[in-house]
Amino acid sequence: MRKTKRFDFRCFFYNHSSTSSMKPRPIAAYSFVPFSPVAMLDPTILTIGGIVLGIAIIERILERWGVIDLVDQFAKVMRFILPVTFYSALIYFFATFMF
């Protein structure tokens, strides 16, 4: 029969050995936030946003002047252009951004 070795709990739990059985390994740390908000200041993104904002301001001015037919035409066109512009700018931003 094999003889079992007994350890006192206090000696086992609180024994601080001077040599470690495991070798420390270098840790590679990566950031989960890969971009900065300053990257949104891309000239292409700002130009697209300025054009869309300008069209919206022109639409509001025409609405104030009472040219409802022209405003309705702008609204019909913008209903298609705004989502396409947004998603294409988003794809452009992520395609050209350096991670």
Side-chain angles (χ1 to χ4, degrees):
M1 248 170 86
R2 198 178 240 190
K3 191 173 183 179
T4 59
K5 188 175 180 182
R6 291 189 169 204
F7 290 104
D8 185 38
F9 178 73
R10 288 188 181 136
C11 292
F12 174 75
F13 195 71
Y14 295 111
N15 188 10
H16 297 290
S17 64
S18 61
T19 60
S20 175
S21 62
M22 294 179 61
K23 294 181 181 176
R25 290 184 280 165
I27 297 172
Y30 298 101
S31 172
F32 291 106
V33 184
F35 59 91
S36 168
V38 178
M40 293 296 286
L41 297 177
D42 183 32
T44 306
I45 301 291
L46 291 176
T47 303
I48 292 171
I51 291 170
V52 170
L53 186 64
I55 291 172
I57 290 172
I58 290 171
E59 186 179 352
R60 293 296 169 205
I61 290 172
L62 290 175
E63 186 180 2
R64 247 188 224 161
W65 287 352
V67 190
I68 302 300
D69 294 336
L70 196 56
V71 171
D72 190 39
Q73 293 297 325
F74 263 105
K76 285 180 184 176
V77 171
M78 294 306 287
R79 195 174 300 144
F80 172 75
I81 289 178
L82 283 177
V84 170
T85 305
F86 172 74
Y87 287 118
S88 62
L90 194 65
I91 290 169
Y92 171 80
F93 174 73
F94 285 115
T96 59
F97 184 71
M98 295 293 181
F99 283 102

